[in-house]
Amino acid sequence: MAAATGSLQASAAPATKPPTSPTSPASPASPAGLLAKVVVIGVPGLTWGDVKASPELTALVDQSSVGSISVKTAGPHTCPIDGWLTIGAGTRAWGSDPNQPCGDLPAVSDGKVTGWQTYVDRQAEHHTGAPIGRLGQTGYPMCGFGPGAAVALARTDGSVSNWQPQFDQAKLASPECGDAIVDAGALPLREGRPEALQKVAELVKQVRAADGWVLLTGISQVTTNDHKQTLVVMQLPPDDGPRWLTSDSTRRPGLIQLTDITATILRGRTAATVDPAGPEKAGPLDGSEIRSTGDRHTSAAAVIDDRLDANQRFEQPRPVLFAVALTIVGAEVLALLWFLLRRSPLSRRVTIFTLLVQGGFFIAAFLAQATVWWRWPSPAFSLYAVTIGISVLSAVIAQVLLKKYAYFGLALAAYLLLLIDGVLGTPMQLGSLFADGPVIGGRFYGFGNSTFAALAVGGLVTAAWAAQKLYGKSRLQAAVAVLVIGGAAIIVDGKPGWGTDFGGLLALTPAVLLMAWLTWRDRLYLRVLIGAGVGVVLLVAGVSYLDYRRPPDQRTHFGTFFARVLDGDVSDVFIRKLQMAVQFFSGPAGWLMLLAVVFCMVATVWPDRVPSKAYRDFYSSHQMVRPTLLALSLCGLAGMLLNDAGIALPAIMLGFAVPLLVAHLLASHQPATVSPEPHLVQES
């Protein structure tokens, strides 16, 4: 397993070797120790496919530290206006109208960006908290060339200075021009693209001739229906040879995000204090300074192929997830219908197996990364086939080795797999079916909501199994087993640099404490509930404070949230999370998930009302069933209220736990003779 996960870390960086050398700053420094001039050349729509098709840009790869850049901004689309506003704010901004196609950038009239107030109002409307104008307000002399640069360098009132509509090499080389931003223009969609790429390469030469330290980067997509992918970022010339770009905001070799550009321009300087529109207060810069890492690369072709492979890794999981889910659920439905109609031993076995396959999916979703599927022919189909294959294989192994206790084997495997992944720095998360990757702009490291759901189910079921074995000997020992197994999940999920999961820590900790208490005492008291609540708050506060004491660019979600609490600025965070959670109820899927979650929680609290004798017997015949189901319900409920995933989080937990439970009930309650009577169908 260690070897497999090691290869995953390498796959996020060069195709030839994983990064082994220490990281080095990518920010330039002159021989005199002064910061050299940074020139950002922004090209909306610049892909690695463009680099491969352009001999001029390919030639730059061997001279550059390179990577891919996530251009996700605050809105559903990243049009050029969104990208440039985000650079100006240093945090994700919302510039475009989601109901309109990407339009032209605003003009500059009388020294001001036209329609600036529209963009200010848009931040307040969508509660982004983005202080647009922060970069231009910093006070450091910067030059701008092109309409996008005017947007990025505009002050809070939309005014711009030291700006020209076209690139001027002499102006860039002059002492009055410090760092600079150049808008190279969006690439045309079809005709004229090769010529546009040649102009970009020529612009890079001109900037380098003016002693500029070049950061050539994609800024945004070009149209709202563009094929979304990570774009190109190159740093020329490299400080210590061509390597891979990274930052503390992604912690992934070869990957940065758009807000890292702002942090790099402001390297060593304090960002201006700017109040955003609306009630929110401006938070710190979202990004971190770009730096280089890893061994030197020597083959432009290998680098480009690696980046194209990385794009496949980032783009395919979301659409493939739907295909995999449809296949597994479809097989389950057919098997259940067959079983209900025929009631034969074969139909029962097939139904049990399909349910176990769904449990195996929660292993395959992560373990598929070890196959490096994105480098196979037809990456989308390869990911689909690998995921289905590992799901089936996991079910076969669990059923052969553990028979009617196969459900436990799958839960244990998922639990151990995610513990190992968390300790190793979550190499299986990036590009997995359960990760909101760079294209979505979700987590770049740590456990996301879906991963947490799998870990919570795996950990609580594993703890229940161990406690049940010890229950007859000593209830205290059984409770300790719950605390040890559940505590390991809490530590890995919550530790900054491992799972780094703020909401998960809040949801899983009370669930484990509840399960341990019920195992030991079997009754709840008000003082116990109050004490557990206080303990959870103190634990999260302690972890957040320790993370807050780290340098701002090294903090995780814990330290950032603690800083917002001190600043009295957490309302926008809660509002955005609430908006995302409510979005699930815009269609019937969210309401169906809510009904399923409510039904399962009712079955947990009032098992006598469930019309299944097998479930009622199972509930009453094992001491750990009630504590486990109540802990799962509490974890799901807390996760729903504390995470932006909302109802989806407990629904994912049900997607793992319920098939395992039903498979176990079917395997444990096989009648001696098969009867076609309808009332027996109901009883099963």
Side-chain angles (χ1 to χ4, degrees), residues 23-175:
T23 59
S24 59
S27 296
S30 67
L34 300 175
L35 292 175
K37 184 178 298 184
V38 172
V39 182
V40 176
I41 301 177
V43 188
L46 182 61
T47 69
W48 279 103
D50 293 324
V51 176
K52 187 173 185 177
S54 169
E56 296 85 1
L57 294 181
T58 298
L60 295 178
V61 174
D62 280 334
Q63 310 168 39
S64 312
S65 288
V66 302
S68 301
I69 182 170
S70 170
V71 295
K72 180 69 174 71
T73 52
H77 308 295
T78 301
C79 294
I81 184 64
D82 299 274
W84 291 114
L85 283 173
T86 293
I87 290 178
T91 186
R92 291 176 180 176
W94 190 318
S96 58
D97 185 339
N99 300 315
Q100 299 291 331
C102 293
D104 295 332
L105 292 171
V108 176
S109 177
D110 297 328
K112 295 187 71 172
V113 176
T114 58
W116 182 258
Q117 189 60 40
T118 301
Y119 305 119
V120 174
D121 295 340
R122 200 155 281 165
Q123 311 315 307
E125 177 187 356
H126 297 289
H127 301 279
T128 67
I132 59 175
R134 175 157 55 182
L135 182 60
Q137 204 74 25
T138 300
Y140 177 74
M142 288 178 280
C143 294
F145 304 93
V151 173
L153 294 176
R155 300 184 184 92
T156 52
D157 61 355
S159 62
V160 291
S161 61
N162 218 11
W163 173 85
Q164 295 182 195
Q166 302 293 331
F167 176 71
D168 186 337
Q169 187 175 358
K171 173 76 171 179
L172 178 64
S174 65

Side-chain angles (χ1 to χ4, degrees), residues 605-618:
V605 179
W606 294 289
D608 293 338
R609 299 185 181 182
V610 177
S612 170
K613 185 176 184 303
Y615 175 78
R616 296 194 299 270
D617 290 345
F618 175 70

Side-chain angles (χ1 to χ4, degrees), residues 231-302:
L231 300 178
V232 171
V233 59
M234 295 190 197
Q235 169 224 317
L236 302 96
D239 299 322
D240 50 0
R243 300 177 187 271
W244 293 85
L245 296 178
T246 187
S247 74
D248 285 332
S249 72
T250 67
R251 306 187 183 186
R252 302 288 186 184
L255 182 63
I256 67 169
Q257 60 175 326
L258 195 58
T259 51
D260 294 333
I261 295 175
T262 313
T264 303
I265 295 173
L266 293 175
R267 64 210 180 281
R269 307 184 185 96
T270 301
T273 301
V274 174
D275 290 329
E280 296 82 10
K281 295 182 180 179
L285 296 175
D286 277 351
S288 301
E289 190 175 342
I290 300 169
R291 65 178 191 274
S292 56
T293 188
D295 294 333
R296 298 188 181 194
H297 56 74
T298 57
S299 170

Side-chain angles (χ1 to χ4, degrees), residues 209-239:
D211 294 327
W213 179 86
V214 181
L215 190 64
L216 174 64
T217 178
I219 292 296
S220 69
Q221 312 298 339
V222 178
T223 66
T224 55
N225 59 353
D226 244 353
H227 180 56
K228 294 181 179 179
Q229 57 183 291
T230 53
L231 300 178
V232 171
V233 59
M234 295 190 197
Q235 169 224 317
L236 302 96
D239 299 322

